[in-house]
Amino acid sequence: MRHLQTLKYIDAIAKAGSIRSAAEVLSITSTALNRRILALEEELGVPIFERFAQGVRLSAAGEIFITHARSQIQDMERVKSQISDLSGARRGHVSIACSQALLPYFLPEQITEYREVHPGVNFSVFLHDRSAAEDAIINMLADIAIVFEPIRTAEIHTIHAIPQQIHAVLSADHPLAERELLRIRECMLYPMSLPSRGYGVRHLIERAVADASFSLEPVVVSNSFEFLRHHAVAEGILSFQIPIGLLEDGETPGVVKRPIDPRDVPIGFVHISQLKGRALPVAVARFVEQIVKVLEERYPAYQGA
């Protein structure tokens, strides 16, 4: 286990970009931490970190070593999870990289439900756009990614995909609020706000607008869907989101959601993904089973327009 501890030290320094900052997180002295790193570098015969006045960064050899270190750390977590599960302790850790839409309602609900049965399992939840979420999986900084319309690199395996229709978010007194289904050309007639580029909702809307030769001119752009939702009500303009990130009409005062016709903006998918070829720890695998079941019940397969 001492070897594994050293690997955790390397991982902490790589994330912090500083031996001093990592030492504070690890609750050890920076001198002691530096000695451990120097001893390992001497054993390997190459420096793992390049040292600068403002901190450290991984060397070329360090980039190779950190992949090994994170793989070893996660393999040990999987083994510990399996052993704990056999003994009935049901402990473990679940690390999730996800889109914003999962944060307000779905993940808090699902993590709470899971921990009621498995209180020994703890969670890390990190907000990422599509690209960063996949990077987190590839670099083994997260066990799973739950992302709307991922880029889907060759190193990522999709465990399950759930359909999500783009919805307009608007104030209850907006002229379009009484419509049951909105066309994108109707939305273009009113001021709107959009998420910044890099998010799946923006990607699908831009693609639809380009195909239809519309002019997309948002009056507000933000990387916060929470801000966009509140601002849509404050100024009486349109915004967009997917159902998993929204409450039902009436649950948020003054806010309604209306689906965009899929003939205009295609149905997108929330992907639950992992690193290809990796065996997930028991705690992670069971959490994935839980959320897949819930998502399938709430969002059945889309059958067409």
Side-chain angles (χ1 to χ4, degrees):
M1 290 297 184
R2 181 177 172 82
H3 173 64
L4 187 64
Q5 188 64 56
T6 300
L7 299 183
K8 290 181 178 179
Y9 288 165
I10 297 291
D11 185 38
I13 295 170
K15 290 176 180 176
S18 163
I19 292 176
R20 185 180 299 276
S21 298
E24 292 176 359
V25 172
L26 296 167
S27 299
I28 62 174
T29 68
S30 58
T31 301
L33 181 57
N34 191 48
R35 281 201 303 265
R36 292 288 288 270
I37 303 309
L38 290 173
L40 179 60
E41 289 179 328
E42 184 177 352
E43 181 182 345
L44 292 173
V46 292
I48 296 174
F49 292 102
E50 296 176 354
R51 290 161 169 79
F52 303 92
Q54 66 272 26
V56 299
R57 70 183 180 197
L58 290 167
S59 65
E63 293 284 358
I64 296 172
F65 189 85
I66 198 66
T67 301
H68 161 76
R70 289 170 176 164
S71 177
Q72 291 294 304
I73 292 167
Q74 294 198 348
D75 281 348
M76 181 55 70
E77 289 298 318
R78 177 174 56 84
V79 170
K80 287 164 64 178
S81 177
Q82 290 173 330
I83 292 172
S84 295
D85 196 66
L86 287 173
S87 66
R90 296 181 180 177
R91 298 184 180 276
H93 180 76
V94 181
S95 179
I96 305 168
C98 69
S99 295
Q100 286 193 50
L102 282 296
L103 293 176
Y105 313 113
F106 183 76
L107 279 179
E109 168 194 271
Q110 293 305 308
I111 291 172
T112 298
E113 181 178 324
Y114 187 85
R115 282 184 33 78
E116 286 176 353
V117 181
H118 309 292
V121 176
N122 51 60
F123 284 77
S124 298
V125 180
F126 301 101
L127 168 63
H128 290 297
D129 63 20
R130 299 183 297 158
S131 177
E134 293 183 342
D135 286 344
I137 293 294
I138 293 168
N139 294 320
M140 290 178 282
L141 298 175
D143 297 309
I144 58 173
I146 312 176
V147 180
F148 183 60
E149 286 296 293
I151 298 172
R152 284 173 274 180
T153 70
E155 297 165 273
I156 302 296
H157 166 66
T158 295
I159 302 169
H160 203 78
I162 302 296
Q164 292 282 281
Q165 185 173 3
I166 301 292
H167 280 58
V169 181
L170 55 161
S171 61
D173 58 359
H174 191 281
L176 296 179
E178 295 182 0
R179 303 288 300 275
E180 293 299 318
L181 183 69
L182 301 180
R183 301 301 300 266
I184 195 66
R185 62 175 176 268
E186 296 172 318
C187 297
M188 296 297 115
L189 298 175
Y190 297 90
M192 67 174 62
S193 59
L194 288 175
S196 52
R197 288 188 173 90
Y199 291 99
V201 170
R202 176 73 177 261
H203 168 70
L204 288 182
I205 292 174
E206 283 192 332
R207 194 170 74 185
V209 169
D211 290 344
S213 299
F214 293 134
S215 176
L216 190 62
E217 298 179 356
V219 297
V220 175
V221 174
S222 175
N223 63 356
S224 169
F225 281 87
E226 191 72 4
F227 165 77
L228 293 173
R229 179 167 60 84
H230 286 291
H231 183 258
V233 177
E235 193 176 332
I237 63 177
L238 282 163
S239 190
F240 300 91
Q241 178 58 290
I242 54 177
I244 200 169
L246 297 168
L247 293 173
E248 293 301 317
D249 286 356
E251 294 186 57
T252 303
V255 179
V256 297
K257 58 184 176 67
R258 295 291 180 263
I260 303 297
D261 196 316
R263 290 175 295 177
D264 298 335
V265 182
I267 299 295
F269 289 83
V270 168
H271 288 242
I272 305 169
S273 307
Q274 68 171 88
L275 185 65
K276 185 175 291 185
R278 183 189 170 202
L280 292 176
V282 173
V284 180
R286 290 192 171 178
F287 182 68
V288 169
E289 289 175 3
Q290 173 186 305
I291 60 175
V292 166
K293 180 179 179 181
V294 171
L295 288 169
E296 285 183 331
E297 291 172 351
R298 293 185 185 177
Y299 308 105
Y302 179 66
Q303 300 298 323

